[in-house]
């Protein structure tokens, strides 16, 4: 199963990005093969519609869960219809911490 | 400084974005729409569709009874304005949060929702722990709707928009790209309606 994590940088030590649509990087982590892919977010500086565009990007990668600090309101209904689960972490955590939790 | 508005709980968001008048007498260009806030739509639904009284509806929306009555009064005025002046109605914005199926994991302190309504959640999707509770108070700040009442500051030089934390003033913030002090968004509290 693939999980998307919003990240502030392109390494496992970077912190989880608290924004979803305008995060710096998306990490697409595969819990079965333990492989990960860092995708720079093309919508980082978009003035509008960054959230839905990011959802589209991740939906093409067939992710089933998204881990982030916050989701905008346009996104919730989109993700509900795509049946993608949202996970909100309010505490500062690094990408490595999140992937470790996913490998419970 | 005025006390911050309490977040209003919305059970059923509207399934449309607004209404348009048709068959006007005079063929004038489209008039400026009336903006209904989500909380006002919810007040209308609870009061006049579900036949709740103000006290019951205020408890459902998690505001005081007088505040609910003010929301309802503002709604009535806006609807009357729209009907009489043949103006379209747009439903957007408001100081609200949505009540939906959210859970909170006691072990890794994350919040998660259930995307598949047909299946119930058995364990935390992140850490696999089986102790979680269902609630939504933690999420109140996560889903503040933006719209005409959004707390947004605008840079007067480059026009960049920055959302501000409730309780901070725009002129204390500076633009990240050109360093100019920010202004409150133009059009905020536009019109004759006072937002409660």
């Amino acid at each position: 199963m693939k999980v998307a994590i919003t990240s502030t940088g392109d390494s496992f030590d970077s912190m989880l990005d608290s924004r979803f649509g305008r995060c710096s990087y998306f990490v697409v982590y595969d819990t079965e093969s333990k492989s990960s892919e860092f995708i720079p977010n093309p919508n980082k500086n978009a003035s509008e519609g960054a959230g839905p565009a990011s959802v589209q990007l991740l939906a093409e990668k067939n992710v089933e869960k998204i881990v982030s600090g916050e989701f905008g309101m346009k996104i919730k209904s989109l993700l509900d219809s795509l049946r993608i689960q949202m996970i909100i972490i309010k505490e500062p955590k690094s990408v490595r911490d999140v992937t470790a939790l996913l490998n419970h | 400084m005025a006390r911050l508005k309490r977040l209003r709980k919305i059970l059923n968001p509207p399934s449309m974005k607004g209404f348009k008048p048709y068959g006007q007498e005079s063929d004038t260009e489209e008039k400026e729409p009336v903006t209904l806030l989500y909380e006002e739509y919810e007040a209308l639904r609870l009061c006049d569709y579900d036949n709740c009284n103000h006290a019951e509806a205020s408890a459902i929306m998690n505001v005081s009874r007088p505040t609910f009555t003010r929301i309802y009064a503002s709604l009535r005025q806006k609807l009357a304005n729209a009907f009489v002046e043949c103006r379209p109605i747009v439903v957007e914005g408001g100081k609200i949060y949505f009540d939906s199926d959210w859970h909170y994991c006691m072990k890794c302190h994350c919040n998660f929702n259930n995307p598949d309504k047909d299946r119930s959640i058995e364990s935390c999707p992140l850490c696999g722990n089986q102790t979680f509770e269902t609630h939504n108070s933690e999420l109140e700040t996560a889903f503040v709707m933006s719209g005409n009442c959004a707390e947004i500051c605008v840079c007067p030089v480059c026009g960049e928009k920055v959302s501000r934390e409730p309780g901070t003033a725009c002129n204390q913030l500076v633009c990240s790209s050109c360093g100019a002090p920010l202004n409150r968004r133009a059009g905020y509290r536009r019109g004759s309606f006072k937002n409660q």
Side-chain angles (χ1 to χ4, degrees):
Chain A
M1 181 182 56
K2 282 182 174 174
V3 184
I5 304 161
T6 57
S7 163
T8 50
D10 58 355
S11 78
F12 276 104
D13 293 317
S14 349
M15 300 307 286
L16 185 80
D17 203 315
S18 60
R19 300 157 304 170
F20 169 70
R22 291 183 177 78
C23 69
S24 302
Y25 285 86
F26 290 110
V27 187
V28 178
Y29 181 74
D30 194 320
T31 51
E32 276 133 41
S33 65
K34 313 280 182 221
S35 63
S36 58
E37 182 188 359
F38 286 81
I39 308 165
N41 186 0
N43 315 306
K44 194 184 171 196
N45 297 317
S47 62
E48 215 169 295
S54 301
V55 169
Q56 196 177 4
L57 179 88
L58 294 177
E60 281 165 13
K61 299 276 176 193
N62 295 321
V63 301
E64 287 176 36
K65 294 174 186 175
I66 299 176
V67 185
S68 183
E70 198 170 313
F71 292 91
M73 209 48 243
K74 282 181 193 162
I75 296 169
K76 190 178 172 296
S77 51
L78 264 178
L79 291 181
D80 276 350
S81 58
L82 290 165
R83 304 216 159 175
I84 297 176
Q85 189 170 40
M86 290 182 275
I87 303 171
I88 297 175
I89 303 181
K90 284 286 177 193
E91 301 165 337
K93 271 195 166 70
S94 71
V95 175
R96 195 188 301 281
D97 292 339
V98 176
T99 51
L101 280 171
L102 286 168
N103 290 325
H104 52 265
Chain B
M1 201 190 90
R3 190 175 62 81
L4 293 173
K5 272 187 216 168
R6 205 181 160 84
L7 287 164
R8 293 89 161 92
K9 181 152 103 183
I10 306 292
L11 292 181
N12 286 332
S15 48
M16 46 72 203
K17 285 181 176 170
F19 290 97
K20 261 186 177 176
Y22 77 100
Q24 291 104 310
E25 272 183 2
S26 55
D27 259 346
T28 47
E29 76 270 32
E30 201 162 289
K31 291 177 182 158
E32 199 194 349
V34 171
T35 305
L36 279 194
L37 303 177
Y38 269 67
E39 63 228 41
E40 289 164 346
Y41 167 85
E42 181 76 353
L44 178 74
R45 190 183 68 78
L46 288 172
C47 233
D48 294 326
Y49 185 77
D50 288 346
N51 289 325
C52 293
N53 62 36
H54 285 198
E56 292 163 354
S58 67
I60 293 171
M61 282 177 75
N62 208 7
V63 292
S64 74
R65 208 276 310 146
T67 299
F68 180 85
T69 302
R70 279 192 293 272
I71 295 172
Y72 189 73
S74 156
L75 159 95
R76 291 288 285 261
Q77 172 146 47
K78 286 182 181 182
L79 283 184
N81 259 302
F83 286 170
V84 174
E85 296 173 9
C86 295
R87 287 163 66 183
I89 300 171
V90 176
V91 187
E92 65 171 14
K95 192 94 178 172
I96 54 157
Y97 70 98
F98 289 87
D99 179 56
S100 61
D101 196 8
W102 282 89
H103 312 278
Y104 177 72
C105 174
M106 309 295 268
K107 193 179 164 202
C108 64
H109 309 295
C110 69
N111 289 290
F112 52 92
N113 74 338
N114 181 3
D116 194 345
K117 298 275 180 286
D118 305 333
R119 273 188 300 168
S120 60
I121 288 196
E122 274 138 30
S123 62
C124 169
L126 197 61
C127 64
N129 193 16
Q130 288 178 359
T131 50
F132 57 85
E133 58 179 44
T134 303
H135 78 147
N136 42 47
S137 61
E138 287 273 315
L139 289 161
E140 285 186 6
T141 51
F143 286 109
V144 179
M145 184 80 187
S146 68
N148 262 17
C149 298
E151 328 251 356
I152 285 177
C153 306
V154 184
C155 174
V157 181
C158 61
E160 188 170 292
K161 286 177 185 161
V162 182
S163 66
R164 75 178 155 106
E165 292 287 310
T168 56
C170 281
N171 55 17
Q172 285 168 359
L173 303 171
V174 288
C175 177
S176 55
S177 50
C178 58
L182 298 176
N183 283 342
R184 198 175 203 187
R185 181 163 91 158
Y188 180 65
R189 290 200 180 160
R190 182 179 50 200
S192 57
F193 308 114
K194 251 172 117 184
N195 298 316
Q196 268 89 39

